[in-house]
Amino acid sequence: MVSYKDLGLVNTREMFAKAIKGGYAIPAFNFNNMEQLQAIIQAAVETNSPVILQVSKGARQYANQTLLRYMAEGAVEYAKELGCKNPQIVLHLDHGDSFELCKSCIDMGFSSVMIDGSHLPYDENVALTKKVVEYAHQFDVTVEGELGVLAGVEDEVSAEHHTYTKPEEVVDFVTKTGCDSLAISIGTSHGANKFKPEQCTRNADGILVPPPLRFDVLEGVEKELPGFPIVLHGASSVPQEEVATINKYGGALKDAIGIPEEQLRKAAKSAVCKINIDSDSRLAMTAAVREVFATKPAEFDPRKYLGPARDNMKKLYKHKIEDVLGSAGKGGCCC
Ligand code: G3H
Ligand code: 13P
Ligand code: ZN
């Protein structure tokens, strides 16, 4: 059993309380490899932002669970080396789908876990989330639950349509489970194709405009649970310049469309205090790698294409922190 406290990590409790009070959201960025992690930590330190490092079940399988845990421990030391006095870094399991997976992460030093029972019947979701909370809280690990189903694919589970969170269920769920934060469904979805063109309208320049998020559902949840931490999954904006670069250099991304950043800015000012972003980082990485491959075909040193990929991801993370989520200056780097 390793305690996250011994690794220099923190849980989400205080971070979320400050974020709700301050009207900003904490970035939750997924990582699967060293370049992503370096880019996240550099961006968080340079902007003095708290940050949540997310590891999915797929990431654990891809990179090895033990290696990822040591990388997160290394990330705390790396942040200090970059000049951050008191790094505010959470290591979080993204979309945990079983008690055993959550327990394994808690036992190896994660400071926060998500148990995603959103696809289960309500009572089963309550029972599973409660079981994880009871285990996690013994070690002061915080737990994110989910109510409502996002359209799209989450790990191996996929849903054709959104099932929006029902505000009338949230008090019962939070009371019965004791979870520390709640992911809700208000129209975001995972991946780079969040909306079909027929769901969108076109603006004067012919650009596709997606349907707005269901802020009425968010307001309903906030009314039922004043001041309770709310999480948004599937919050990538799918930057069209990255999509254009990918397609220019041989990619084939069709109808890639995300959540407009102004809507995320609005959400971040509410009780939404954690915003999950993964696909945008994948797009930034892929665009940079494709450009090097296409423009420098003789290049075969991975540092020469993974380096530009890292730079491009860092630029993206800083933009999210500074211009979208509003968490810049809220970390512990200077004091
Ligand atoms: O919500 C899903 C995250 O983007 C993680 O994706 O399961 O492919 O690692 P993954
Ligand atoms: P995106 O696919 O929109 O980046 O969402 C990521 C996410 O929700 C991770 O849990
Ligand atoms: Zn998610």
Side-chain angles (χ1 to χ4, degrees), residues 152-193:
V153 182
E154 291 175 15
D155 262 331
E156 288 111 33
V157 185
S158 71
E160 174 83 12
H161 302 291
H162 302 284
T163 306
Y164 297 111
T165 305
K166 298 188 183 89
E168 62 275 19
E169 283 182 351
V170 296
V171 172
D172 186 67
F173 186 82
V174 165
T175 310
K176 283 187 177 149
T177 63
C179 66
D180 302 281
S181 59
L182 185 67
I184 63 168
S185 172
I186 60 166
T188 60
S189 67
H190 292 96
N193 293 80

Side-chain angles (χ1 to χ4, degrees), residues 192 238-239 242-243 246 253 278-288:
V238 188
E242 305 296 357
V243 173
I246 290 170
L253 289 179
D278 186 6
S279 297
D280 283 355
S281 154
R282 297 178 180 194
L283 291 166
M285 183 169 211
T286 303

Side-chain angles (χ1 to χ4, degrees), residues 116-137:
D116 182 358
S118 60
H119 298 88
L120 298 172
Y122 181 80
D123 289 340
E124 288 176 39
N125 187 3
V126 168
L128 179 60
T129 307
K130 182 171 189 285
K131 187 174 173 188
V132 171
V133 169
E134 280 170 359
Y135 187 74
H137 281 184

Side-chain angles (χ1 to χ4, degrees), residues 279-323:
S279 297
D280 283 355
S281 154
R282 297 178 180 194
L283 291 166
M285 183 169 211
T286 303
V289 170
R290 274 196 177 277
E291 183 165 0
V292 175
F293 283 171
T295 56
K296 298 177 185 163
E299 192 55 73
F300 70 101
D301 178 345
R303 292 171 297 188
K304 298 286 165 47
Y305 51 87
L306 294 178
R310 183 174 61 197
D311 293 345
N312 207 30
M313 288 188 285
K314 177 176 165 183
K315 196 172 112 209
L316 173 103
Y317 294 134
K318 287 180 85 166
H319 165 64
K320 297 287 175 185
I321 288 169
E322 289 174 333
D323 306 324

Side-chain angles (χ1 to χ4, degrees), residues 28 30 54 94-95 114 150 189-192 194 232-237 274 276-280:
N30 291 69
Q54 299 204 130
D94 190 25
H95 293 287
M114 174 190 195
L150 275 62
S189 67
H190 292 96
K194 299 190 188 298
L232 276 194
H233 282 249
S236 276
S237 296
K274 171 174 180 271
N276 286 11
I277 296 168
D278 186 6
S279 297
D280 283 355

